[in-house]
Amino acid sequence: AQKVTQAQTEISVVEKEDVTLDCVYETRDTTYYLFWYKQPPSGELVFLIRRNSFDEQNEISGRYSWNFQKSTSSFNFTITASQVVDSAVYFCAQSGGTGFQKLVFGTGTRLLVSP
Amino acid sequence: ETGVTQSPTHLIKTRGQQVTLRCSSQSGHNTVSWYQQALGQGPQFIFQYYREEENGRGNFPPRFSGLQFPNYSSELNVNALELDDSALYLCASSLARGEPIYNEQFFGPGTRLTVL
């Protein structure tokens, strides 16, 4: 069975601080995908990134970076120099790689960035 | 290209009533998945429809049912509403090609259901 754990319920930082959101996943699939989504107060899920299980290369996109480590089943998300607009709930999710695919989400981490 | 749309945006019902939520998939997509997101929780998979048939189901009771139409739009029906059904209901559409690749899911804005 698939499971995603986001142990951090809420994180508060001051603008310009760096912050890392943790994600630990469980799966028996050899092929799978990992995701991060942002959910602002409006409620719509905003896709941030997708990684497949065969690609452990870390990725950087502007102030965002992701660290994927299969050895620890983790897919952590770092925001560098946080901004007030980063305030939102962030979800880590997982999907199987073949056949029937559904997204399994973690419980989310609420990030509050204050000025 | 039109994105995923859902209607209505908000809905208030009373316990025991029935509700129908609607989702129009993105143009060209043949698969629709429905998720329930209770307050303070992550979205949970309800079921998925592929070419008008239920393709998979999460841990939800039979009073949650769905339909997919020939144009690939979809409905989520919930009978005998309970207070715990209050949630944001999200639908996501994708294009399943029958290949061993990930089929990107595009989410709609959601319908917020309140059961009193």
Side-chain angles (χ1 to χ4, degrees):
Chain A
Q2 297 170 320
K3 184 179 179 181
V4 176
T5 301
Q6 294 180 257
Q8 303 153 310
T9 305
E10 186 169 312
I11 301 175
S12 293
V13 299
V14 176
E15 210 169 17
K16 297 184 183 177
E17 284 187 22
D18 298 347
V19 59
T20 295
L21 310 181
D22 298 333
C23 173
V24 174
Y25 64 92
E26 296 176 31
T27 183
R28 294 180 182 174
D29 294 335
T30 53
T31 302
Y32 54 90
Y33 295 86
L34 299 170
F35 307 79
W36 277 95
Y37 286 86
K38 176 182 180 179
Q39 189 174 47
S42 62
E44 191 158 354
L45 281 174
V46 178
F47 168 80
L48 295 178
I49 189 171
R50 179 185 79 231
R51 304 295 287 174
N52 72 53
S53 51
F54 298 108
D55 185 2
E56 284 191 75
Q57 189 172 8
N58 292 330
E59 183 160 335
I60 298 174
S61 176
R63 297 184 296 108
Y64 296 170
S65 62
W66 291 270
N67 181 274
F68 175 24
Q69 293 194 340
K70 289 178 77 171
S71 61
T72 55
S73 297
S74 65
F75 185 44
N76 296 337
F77 173 31
T78 297
I79 301 175
T80 302
S82 60
Q83 299 176 1
V84 172
V85 293
D86 295 329
S87 296
V89 180
Y90 291 86
F91 290 97
C92 181
Q94 177 185 95
S95 171
T98 58
F100 169 67
Q101 296 173 351
K102 68 174 184 182
L103 287 167
V104 175
F105 288 84
T107 51
T109 297
R110 181 177 299 278
L111 175 64
L112 178 60
V113 182
S114 52
Chain B
E1 188 174 86
T2 307
V4 179
T5 61
Q6 292 186 243
S7 62
T9 306
H10 294 87
L11 201 53
I12 298 175
K13 291 285 189 178
T14 56
R15 197 169 46 182
Q17 286 188 311
Q18 178 265 343
V19 69
T20 297
L21 310 182
R22 295 179 175 82
C23 173
S24 291
S25 58
Q26 187 165 308
S27 178
H29 286 183
N30 55 17
T31 302
V32 173
S33 303
W34 285 91
Y35 294 83
Q36 180 198 64
Q37 185 179 12
L39 194 62
Q41 300 295 317
Q44 292 206 352
F45 175 75
I46 303 175
F47 43 54
Q48 183 181 93
Y49 278 83
Y50 170 66
R51 293 187 175 178
E52 301 180 56
E53 292 195 3
E54 188 177 289
N55 188 39
R57 190 179 184 91
N59 189 26
F60 281 81
R63 59 189 186 84
F64 284 78
S65 63
L67 283 173
Q68 186 179 33
F69 300 99
N71 66 355
Y72 301 126
S73 65
S74 177
E75 286 183 355
L76 163 64
N77 299 290
V78 187
N79 293 322
L81 283 167
E82 300 177 0
L83 297 180
D84 284 349
D85 295 333
S86 295
L88 179 67
Y89 288 84
L90 296 161
C91 85
S93 74
S94 57
L95 174 61
R97 300 181 182 88
E99 300 169 4
I101 61 173
Y102 180 72
N103 305 313
E104 195 74 54
Q105 295 194 26
F106 295 82
F107 282 87
T111 293
R112 192 166 295 279
L113 171 65
T114 301
V115 182
L116 303 176

